[in-house]
């Protein structure tokens, strides 16, 4: 992983390990089919979200804008 990505994950989640744990939890807690996503918001923050089925963070039904 590049130092840029590592620094961004550490800044947003505290550590790369913390990011991995939160990302895994987002994926495992999605009931049924779906995906977990790492998203960079319009204000530049990194957030973890998940979507059901074929939905994705670019759709207007997404929790993250």
């Amino acid at each position: 992983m590049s130092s840029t990505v590592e620094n961004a994950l550490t800044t947003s989640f505290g550590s790369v390990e913390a990011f991995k744990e939160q990302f895994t939890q987002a994926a495992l807690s999605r009931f049924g089919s779906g995906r977990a996503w790492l998203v960079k918001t319009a204000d530049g923050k990194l957030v973890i979200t998940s979507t059901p089925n074929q939905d994705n963070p670019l759709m207007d039904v997404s929790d993250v804008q």
Side-chain angles (χ1 to χ4, degrees):
M1 144 179 349
S2 73
S3 61
T4 302
V5 172
E6 184 175 357
N7 289 337
L9 293 175
T10 300
T11 299
S12 297
F13 302 103
S15 69
V16 173
E17 284 302 316
F19 159 72
K20 289 179 184 179
E21 290 172 13
Q22 290 177 40
F23 191 84
T24 299
Q25 186 58 39
L28 292 175
S29 64
R30 171 57 58 187
F31 180 78
S33 63
R35 291 178 168 63
W37 305 88
L38 175 63
V39 177
K40 186 175 183 181
T41 62
D43 61 0
K45 295 179 182 176
L46 293 180
V47 296
I48 296 170
T49 189
S50 68
T51 58
N53 305 315
Q54 75 285 346
D55 294 354
N56 67 66
L58 298 176
M59 300 174 75
D60 60 356
V61 296
S62 175
D63 293 339
V64 176
Q65 301 298 328

